[in-house]
Amino acid sequence: MARNTIYQGGTIVALDAASTVRRADLLVEDGVLRALGGPFDGPAYREAERVDCTNALVLPGFVQAHVHLSQALFRGLAEEADLLPWLERKIWPLEAAHTAESLAVSARLGLAEMVRSGATTICDMGAMRHAEVLARTVEASGLRAVVSRLLMDQGDRVPAELVEPGARGLEDAQAIAKHFDGTASGRLRFALAPRFVLSCSPDLLREVAARSQEHGWLVHTHLNESKGELRATEKLLGHGAVAHFDEMGLLSERFVAAHGVWFTVEERELLAERKARITHCPSANLKLGSGVCDTRALLDEGVTVALGADGLPCNNRADTFEEMRLAGLLSRLLHKGKALTSESVVRMATIEGARALGFGDRTGSIEVGKRADLVVLDATGTSGSVLEGTSVYDAVVYQMNAEHVRSVSVDGKRLYERGRLLFADESEIVARAQSERAALLRRAAL
């Protein structure tokens, strides 16, 4: 018999084309959203599991469209630095010191925090060595995800462990993709992840473009994050990264680039023409002193914009609520009365993020036929209550935080419920993280 779950008594914030917000029950059958309305009573539903959503908002789960699970163990180890020195002096040496075991522990630590703040889908940058370990850890967690193979075949002041011939990295990527792309009933996708323009040769980028087109794989990278990166790119290539990626054949609907802080009007137009996607990472951009992405300008041009927390050493949190709040505030700072609406921000964290990652037909909104990737937010208490006259979108962006997450489900399977992780032992995750971090620091000798 089908396994039924009824989300009962909540306010559905659907993020569909009609911007549906209504009090209704939600019927889930074998992980699929089957009906919205209710009440679902009678003999057919007698054995259904019921999730109490009284005084709660029910939303599609949040999409973290740019994260670095490999860096979760590095939180607090790379403070007060600009992007390139931050990479050279801290992040790259720490990444080079990873083992398969420390990577797995780092991934579990990051995943636990993201689920606690309502994330159901992520796009991870992956790793060069032991990337399959990250993919296996994500698969076991139950989250929906894009898993990636990081690629770097050049770069100044990069540890030898993080530079490899492009052919070797692509061969390993092919093997990982064969195992994970489209697996777990379509819950996982694969991406090639050329780190950024300075770390990848033209030959490597051309081959990435060719394989992306051949196999339908995403391309996950960083783009125009800091002024220092722009200057180094101009010095190396004589032109900007957007034009270079386009020349290499990379810009397409499969191209998902983090940051996009410094675009010219012409670059935004080209990104829109090619249907490339940008992931806005406001906390990381501020903490590294990189600047402020003009999301309003990107959206006005027709570019799909998602949200991401980036890595924990350049954010220190993996909290979707924090990114939504900052995205709204920074847009207000840039554009005053023409700033992004709160609904636009929530869409970036849900349906637009899902579309950016190629999951828009499966998740990102509450619609019959989509997968049951859901977050239930407690709307009680001094900060959570949505009082009369308050938009639910304003409440989610500016009032609520991770403490309001009551329940998180992917494919109808609950991963978090009322303060407790259900896919892992949180105390064990923290204990392992402590021991693995100590060992990693010894290996890195920083």
Side-chain angles (χ1 to χ4, degrees):
M1 293 181 62
R3 181 171 57 87
N4 291 339
T5 303
I6 297 169
Y7 288 74
Q8 189 167 297
T11 297
I12 306 296
V13 185
L15 281 304
D16 57 359
S19 299
T20 301
V21 177
R22 58 178 288 207
R23 286 290 300 276
D25 293 350
L26 187 60
L27 174 63
V28 175
E29 183 180 285
D30 285 340
V32 177
L33 303 173
R34 291 300 186 196
L36 180 65
F40 299 105
D41 297 319
Y45 305 111
R46 187 172 295 129
E47 301 300 320
E49 182 181 7
R50 295 181 183 267
V51 179
D52 181 14
C53 300
T54 306
N55 297 318
L57 307 179
V58 184
L59 281 79
F62 298 134
V63 178
Q64 284 272 12
H66 176 67
V67 301
H68 289 257
L69 291 176
S70 69
Q71 295 179 6
L73 273 184
F74 309 163
R75 178 170 20 209
L77 294 178
E79 302 296 286
E80 299 177 358
D82 295 340
L83 174 64
L84 295 182
W86 177 83
L87 287 168
E88 294 163 3
R89 298 171 189 170
K90 295 290 187 176
I91 300 305
W92 286 339
L94 287 165
E95 287 183 355
H98 259 313
T99 63
E101 185 57 33
S102 64
L103 265 177
V105 170
S106 185
R108 285 194 287 269
L109 183 65
L111 290 166
E113 184 170 349
M114 283 183 271
V115 169
R116 273 188 161 276
S117 65
T120 57
T121 300
I122 67 167
C123 183
D124 179 49
M125 181 55 68
M128 289 183 64
R129 297 177 303 140
H130 313 300
E132 75 286 350
V133 171
L134 289 176
R136 282 201 303 270
T137 305
V138 172
E139 181 180 35
S141 73
L143 269 79
R144 193 172 308 282
V146 176
V147 297
S148 307
R149 177 39 160 94
L150 188 63
L151 300 166
M152 298 172 67
D153 69 342
Q154 66 178 31
D156 294 333
R157 294 180 287 279
V158 181
E161 296 91 338
L162 297 185
V163 179
E164 65 184 353
R168 181 189 303 165
L170 290 166
E171 181 181 0
D172 187 47
Q174 192 90 24
I176 295 169
K178 183 178 180 180
H179 185 80
F180 292 101
D181 190 38
T183 59
S185 300
R187 185 165 50 83
L188 301 182
R189 291 195 70 186
F190 177 75
L192 293 167
R195 188 163 204 145
F196 69 149
V197 69
L198 297 174
S199 63
C200 299
S201 69
D203 286 345
L204 175 57
L205 293 178
R206 288 190 193 94
E207 189 60 30
V208 167
R211 298 198 185 200
S212 170
Q213 184 172 16
E214 178 184 358
H215 299 287
W217 299 335
L218 296 181
V219 175
H220 183 197
T221 190
H222 302 84
L223 179 62
N224 287 32
E225 183 174 355
S226 75
K227 284 289 188 70
E229 174 195 342
L230 264 63
R231 288 191 295 268
T233 301
E234 287 284 347
K235 182 178 179 181
L236 177 67
L237 300 172
H239 54 261
V242 175
H244 186 65
F245 282 147
D246 191 48
E247 184 182 337
M248 299 298 105
L250 285 165
L251 298 188
S252 76
E253 70 279 0
R254 298 180 304 280
F255 183 84
V256 184
H259 305 298
V261 175
W262 300 104
F263 287 139
T264 65
V265 172
E266 293 76 18
E267 286 173 332
R268 285 194 290 266
E269 290 174 348
L270 181 58
L271 291 167
E273 181 182 340
R274 300 288 190 261
K275 297 183 171 56
R277 287 83 192 279
I278 298 297
T279 301
H280 180 33
C281 304
S283 289
N285 294 339
L286 292 175
K287 192 163 187 288
L288 290 175
S290 298
V292 179
C293 173
D294 191 342
T295 52
R296 171 84 276 165
L298 285 166
L299 291 172
D300 285 349
E301 201 62 57
V303 177
T304 297
V305 180
L307 276 181
D310 204 351
L312 288 179
C314 63
N315 186 325
N316 299 60
R317 298 180 186 176
D319 184 345
T320 306
F321 290 92
E322 182 86 358
E323 304 313 311
M324 287 192 291
R325 180 178 175 84
L326 278 174
L329 293 174
L330 291 173
S331 182
R332 175 71 179 152
L333 178 68
L334 290 178
H335 293 288
K336 305 297 188 290
K338 295 183 179 180
L340 297 181
T341 66
S342 294
E343 180 179 354
S344 294
V345 172
V346 179
R347 285 184 174 278
M348 287 162 59
T350 54
I351 185 59
E352 297 304 314
R355 287 171 178 155
L357 304 183
F359 285 129
D361 62 336
R362 302 178 69 82
T363 190
S365 60
I366 297 177
E367 299 181 76
V368 171
K370 285 195 172 185
R371 306 300 300 182
D373 296 359
L374 302 169
V375 57
V376 179
L377 304 181
D378 192 343
T380 64
T382 53
S383 64
S385 297
V386 185
L387 301 179
E388 184 176 352
T390 298
S391 157
V392 292
Y393 305 110
D394 288 337
V396 171
V397 173
Y398 294 117
Q399 287 180 218
M400 294 184 174
N401 56 47
E403 296 301 316
H404 292 92
V405 175
R406 188 187 289 183
S407 175
V408 178
S409 302
V410 176
D411 277 342
K413 179 181 179 181
R414 277 197 293 290
L415 306 183
Y416 177 82
E417 186 76 24
R418 296 184 183 272
R420 188 166 67 93
L421 286 179
L422 303 180
F423 71 90
D425 184 326
E426 192 166 3
S427 60
E428 181 184 359
I429 288 173
V430 174
R432 293 293 306 279
Q434 289 174 335
S435 62
E436 284 296 334
R437 171 141 144 178
L440 184 143
L441 285 171
R442 289 193 294 271
R443 291 193 298 272
L446 292 178

